Amino acid sequence: MATFNTEIFTGGGGWQQDEPLSISIGNRGDVVPQDGGPATGTTVTWSGSNAGSGSVTFFDGGSRFEGTAQFPDEGPVGYRGTLSD
């Protein structure tokens, strides 16, 4: 599992700190390994009534991501994060 410190971009408000994002995905191999982030170029997309929706792509060996998200009862925002220590 990887945990990322995140920020959202709301336009006029600029980048603002948001809640951490934790990701754990595996099937025949680790998409997100237990000890780090996913490989560069990996894209993760989610959608759910309680979690909203989003799509992020990972860079720099999985140490950061960039994308978009839309949380329940909110408009779409820019979404980025860096791997937590």
Side-chain angles (χ1 to χ4, degrees):
M1 177 172 66
T3 300
F4 293 84
N5 298 316
T6 68
E7 296 178 306
I8 58 172
F9 187 79
T10 59
W15 288 101
Q16 302 172 31
Q17 185 175 356
D18 199 48
E19 296 296 318
L21 172 68
S22 296
I23 302 174
S24 177
I25 303 173
N27 59 2
R28 294 182 182 183
D30 289 331
V31 176
V32 180
Q34 292 294 325
D35 59 350
T40 296
T42 300
T43 297
V44 173
T45 302
W46 69 91
S47 179
S49 59
N50 292 333
S53 61
S55 181
V56 298
T57 301
F58 293 86
F59 302 94
D60 300 330
S63 65
R64 66 180 187 90
F65 69 78
E66 296 178 11
T68 58
Q70 185 167 358
F71 300 101
D73 302 319
E74 298 180 12
V77 293
Y79 195 50
R80 69 182 183 187
T82 56
L83 190 60
S84 177
D85 293 329

